[in-house]
């Protein structure tokens, strides 16, 4: 007599739940876009600091791979592949923030990233593992450093390596800025920032004066 009855949701509650779930995904996407925009701005403003952060991140991940190799019963070839991939990322730092997409270091890094991601996912999904555990492992060991280089693409496209003045800015650890006609400093936006600038301009076209009322 004490058994509880399982009550299923009706059609209205089901529809509301699905709509709320999709709305939540939209909010998450907007938050990620804002975060990416902010990180890209920071990379352009603090180029040398970004390089140091990526450098130390690679070192930390390599140390973590050594610990995995010694103490964890994971496939040795996958751990070694991750170490080779991050050693290849070191080569990209030599010319940072310039990334030549046709260079052997860049092509090798992309190939190692894809192979590392595929093989680790194949290993984890071969046995039962929680999705959150797999994503956390992949985030640190496969995606974190490439994500840093991806965010830095805006710096790569807004700096011209052939210019002597730009080289002086890079030596000082600053992002390249241009002097406008009015004497002010204007920062070129491209790469990741140009994508967000495009959506910002479209928002202003669709909702003119929206930002002024706030």
């Amino acid at each position: 007599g004490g058994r509880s009855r399982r009550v299923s949701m009706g059609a209205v509650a089901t529809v509301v739940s699905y709509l709320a779930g999709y709305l939540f995904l939209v909010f998450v996407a907007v938050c990620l876009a804002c975060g990416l925009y902010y990180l890209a701005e920071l990379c352009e403003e603090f180029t040398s600091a970004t390089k140091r952060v990526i450098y130390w991140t690679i070192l930390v991940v390599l140390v973590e791979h050594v610990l995995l190799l010694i103490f964890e019963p994971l496939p040795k070839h996958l751990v070694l592949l991750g170490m080779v991939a991050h050693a290849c990322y070191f080569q990209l730092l030599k010319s940072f923030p310039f990334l030549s997409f046709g260079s052997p270091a860049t092509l090798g890094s992309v190939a190692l990233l894809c192979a590392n991601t595929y093989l680790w996912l194949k290993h984890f999904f071969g046995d039962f593992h929680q999705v959150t555990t797999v994503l956390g492992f992949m985030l640190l060991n496969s995606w974190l450093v490439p994500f840093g280089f991806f965010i830095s693409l805006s710096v790569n496209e807004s700096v011209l390596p052939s210019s002597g003045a730009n080289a002086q800015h890079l030596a000082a650890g600053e992002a390249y800025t241009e002097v406008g006609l009015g004497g002010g400093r204007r920062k070129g936006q491209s790469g990741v920032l140009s994508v967000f600038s495009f959506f910002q301009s479209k928002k202003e076209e669709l909702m003119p004066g929206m930002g002024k009322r706030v």
Side-chain angles (χ1 to χ4, degrees), residues 106-149:
T106 303
L107 295 177
S109 297
V110 172
L112 287 170
L113 170 63
C114 295
N116 198 33
T117 300
Y118 171 76
L119 293 175
W120 273 120
L121 290 178
K122 182 180 178 181
H123 165 73
F124 282 122
F125 289 118
D127 301 319
F128 176 76
H129 291 86
Q130 290 185 350
V131 176
T132 53
T133 303
V134 175
L135 291 178
F137 183 91
M138 297 299 299
L139 176 63
L140 178 62
N141 293 282
S142 296
W143 302 331
L144 187 59
V145 174
F147 178 77
F149 283 109

Side-chain angles (χ1 to χ4, degrees), residues 4-211:
S4 59
R5 296 176 55 189
R6 184 177 179 182
V7 180
S8 59
M9 291 192 302
V12 176
T14 302
V15 171
V16 170
S17 299
Y18 276 105
L19 290 177
Y22 286 121
L23 185 61
F24 174 77
L25 293 178
V26 171
F27 285 151
V28 171
V30 171
C31 291
L32 288 176
C34 294
L36 287 174
Y37 185 87
Y38 180 69
L39 289 175
E41 285 279 4
L42 289 179
C43 289
E44 285 200 359
E45 293 293 336
F46 307 101
T47 307
S48 60
T50 301
K51 182 177 181 178
R52 287 195 299 269
V53 169
I54 295 177
Y55 174 83
W56 285 105
T57 303
I58 295 175
L59 285 182
V60 169
V61 175
L62 282 175
V63 170
E64 192 257 349
H65 273 72
V66 173
L67 296 177
L68 291 177
L69 197 63
I70 297 174
F71 297 107
E72 294 295 329
L74 293 171
K76 305 297 183 183
H77 66 285
L78 294 184
V79 179
L80 291 174
L81 178 63
M83 296 177 70
V84 172
H86 283 79
C88 191
Y89 299 153
F90 265 127
Q91 301 300 315
L92 297 179
L93 284 179
K94 292 182 178 180
S95 59
F96 188 86
F98 307 116
L99 295 178
S100 176
F101 296 103
S103 66
T106 303
L107 295 177
S109 297
V110 172
L112 287 170
L113 170 63
C114 295
N116 198 33
T117 300
Y118 171 76
L119 293 175
W120 273 120
L121 290 178
K122 182 180 178 181
H123 165 73
F124 282 122
F125 289 118
D127 301 319
F128 176 76
H129 291 86
Q130 290 185 350
V131 176
T132 53
T133 303
V134 175
L135 291 178
F137 183 91
M138 297 299 299
L139 176 63
L140 178 62
N141 293 282
S142 296
W143 302 331
L144 187 59
V145 174
F147 178 77
F149 283 109
F150 171 74
I151 291 298
S152 305
L153 287 179
S154 57
V155 184
N156 176 53
E157 295 181 4
S158 61
V159 181
L160 300 177
S162 59
S163 172
N166 297 346
Q168 294 177 0
H169 282 293
L170 286 178
E174 299 177 355
Y176 175 64
T177 56
E178 296 177 350
V179 179
L181 296 177
R185 295 170 69 85
R186 178 178 59 84
K187 182 173 59 181
Q189 285 191 343
S190 56
V192 178
L193 290 180
S194 63
V195 176
F196 298 117
S197 298
F198 171 78
F199 287 111
Q200 178 70 17
S201 62
K202 291 301 179 183
K203 185 201 76 171
E204 292 176 355
E205 291 178 6
L206 295 175
M207 296 180 292
M210 193 72 177

